[in-house]
Amino acid sequence: MIKRLLIAIVALVIVAGGIIGYNLLIGQLMKTIFANMKAPAVPVSVSMVEAGTWTPQIEAIGTAAAMRGTDLAVEASGIVREIRFKANDTVTKGQVLVQIDDREERADLASAKAALDLADVTLKRARELRARGVSATSTLDEAEAAAAEARARVAKIEASLSTKVLTAPFEGVIGIPQIETGAYVSAGTTYATLQDRAHMRVDFALTEQQAAQVRAGMPVSLTSEGEDLSLSGTITGIEPKIDPNSRLVTMRAVVPDAAGRLTPGQFLHVQVALPAEENVIALPQSVVQASLYGDSVFVVREVTPEGAEAPELQVKQVFVKVGRSAGDRLEIREGLTVGDRVVNAGQNKLTSGAAVTIDNSLSLDPAAAN
């Protein structure tokens, strides 16, 4: 019985040892296979690092405005007798827009003119009598003063009458009437807006640092929110002081070709073009990867692995110092040299030292090297 038990134990040990030895042998073989297995090359597209002309830009948000635009207001209170315009009419300078009731002023004017006629007759008679020497000098003085007072009263009433006739101060497109015929309006009531859309400008604001780089005469590019409109203009005015609340400086640009294409109050993206700079390295934004450790790019280089007969392409992660941006390109200040090839597509599959092949059909950069 004991003999059989010993034989069973020995057999069990032999079987278990064989299984363990087999597993160890398989594990060692797998390690050897994976150690010698070479990862397939990853296809990537590259951009060639070149030094070229860099046109830095400053971006801002602007608001379109008419060169001449205002809210028209009533000058004198009264009843609206007539409205002589419709919404969106193009009006000319001096065109009558609104007539306020002026019957009382016209009656006063008729009375004042009659008094002026009498004063003129009295003055003429006083002058004749004085020339004959039959009247006192004071009589002539009183007549002259009375005539002057009568003329002043006529002028005052005529000025008051002119405030009851509301005319266009300049040519432009008038808006929706804000008053109604027969309504009583007080002085200062806005009755419409008038905008000269043939001549447009754009107002925008820059920070102190940005404003220090801008000068009158610099070109600007303008795009609408939907980017369906693109215009150009020139900076014509820079506010000589910084707003103490916002710490911004207001700028103004004239847009000569915006007639009928811009609406006063329209939201616009503004790009101010600064003087061009030479020998600047700029790359697409898609090339640069940002992380907690800094900005980096993958550079493709020829490397001859140990024991290999021919060189192969590998990537190396290189940290760079990024500068300004313009459109979809970034300025690279440090980390790269002219002639380097940097990966612009496929970076998410890469690690430093990975083998790659170049396939620029994957590139989104039109300037990628062939």
Side-chain angles (χ1 to χ4, degrees):
M1 183 68 180
I2 295 175
K3 184 178 180 181
R4 290 180 181 178
L5 181 58
L6 291 173
I7 293 172
I9 292 173
V10 170
L12 181 60
V13 170
I14 293 172
V15 172
I19 294 174
I20 294 172
Y22 177 79
N23 287 335
L24 290 175
L25 177 62
I26 293 300
Q28 186 62 38
L29 290 173
M30 293 295 290
K31 288 181 181 180
T32 303
I33 292 173
F34 282 114
N36 295 327
M37 181 181 293
K38 186 176 181 181
V42 179
V44 297
S45 65
V46 297
S47 294
M48 186 68 70
V49 176
E50 298 176 342
T53 301
W54 171 266
T55 304
Q57 296 178 337
I58 298 176
E59 296 186 357
I61 300 302
T63 302
M67 291 292 290
R68 294 183 299 177
T70 186
D71 290 335
L72 302 174
V74 176
E75 296 183 54
S77 59
I79 302 296
V80 178
R81 290 303 179 194
E82 190 176 3
I83 299 175
R84 300 186 183 181
F85 70 91
K86 296 179 181 178
N88 304 117
D89 279 352
T90 298
V91 300
T92 58
K93 181 179 180 179
Q95 179 177 333
V96 177
L97 303 175
V98 176
Q99 176 65 61
I100 304 296
D101 184 20
D102 60 359
R103 289 175 294 179
E104 182 178 348
E105 286 77 7
R106 290 190 179 280
D108 290 342
L109 179 62
S111 174
K113 285 184 175 180
L116 176 60
D117 291 341
L118 177 60
D120 286 339
V121 171
T122 302
L123 176 59
K124 182 179 179 181
R125 185 180 300 112
R127 285 173 175 170
E128 291 176 351
L129 293 175
R130 180 58 188 161
R132 296 175 187 175
V134 295
S135 68
T137 304
S138 59
T139 303
L140 177 60
D141 293 341
E142 290 174 359
E144 288 178 343
E149 182 179 359
R151 280 192 294 272
R153 177 170 173 74
V154 170
K156 181 180 179 180
I157 295 174
E158 287 177 341
S160 178
L161 268 172
S162 67
T163 64
K164 298 299 181 77
V165 182
L166 308 180
T167 60
F170 52 83
E171 182 179 354
V173 178
I174 198 165
I176 299 172
Q178 302 297 314
I179 57 176
E180 298 293 340
T181 301
Y184 178 85
V185 292
S186 58
T189 301
T190 298
Y191 64 88
T193 183
L194 180 62
Q195 303 292 327
D196 180 8
R197 295 187 60 187
H199 305 88
M200 299 294 293
R201 67 172 189 257
V202 174
D203 293 333
F204 58 98
L206 300 178
T207 63
E208 297 179 47
Q209 295 78 9
Q210 292 172 332
Q213 306 175 62
V214 177
R215 299 288 182 273
M218 284 186 173
V220 298
S221 299
L222 310 168
T223 55
S224 59
E225 178 65 11
E227 297 188 355
D228 55 346
L229 177 66
S230 180
L231 296 168
S232 60
T234 304
I235 294 178
T236 57
I238 301 175
E239 194 67 43
K241 75 169 187 175
I242 299 171
D243 189 312
N245 297 318
S246 65
R247 311 308 305 174
L248 298 176
V249 180
T250 301
M251 307 275 169
R252 175 167 292 176
V254 172
V255 189
D257 299 325
R261 304 176 66 186
L262 287 181
T263 301
Q266 185 175 351
F267 175 93
L268 295 169
H269 294 280
V270 182
Q271 289 184 332
V272 182
L274 300 178
E277 301 174 13
E278 300 296 333
N279 299 319
V280 176
I281 293 177
L283 293 173
Q285 294 186 13
S286 60
V287 168
V288 180
Q289 291 184 308
S291 69
L292 296 176
Y293 304 101
D295 298 315
S296 63
V297 299
F298 282 104
V299 179
V300 177
R301 293 174 179 169
E302 285 191 356
V303 177
T304 303
E306 185 178 352
E309 297 180 357
E312 66 178 23
L313 296 179
Q314 291 185 3
V315 292
K316 180 181 179 181
Q317 188 176 21
V318 176
F319 286 92
V320 297
K321 183 177 180 181
V322 176
R324 299 160 294 180
S325 64
D328 62 345
R329 304 187 80 79
L330 293 174
E331 177 192 16
I332 307 298
R333 294 184 175 177
E334 295 179 6
L336 296 176
T337 58
V338 174
D340 284 342
R341 292 176 293 179
V342 295
V343 178
N344 59 46
Q347 300 98 315
N348 58 328
K349 303 176 184 178
L350 299 178
T351 58
S352 191
V356 296
T357 60
I358 296 177
D359 181 5
N360 280 338
S361 64
L362 306 174
S363 178
L364 299 177
D365 179 19
N370 295 323

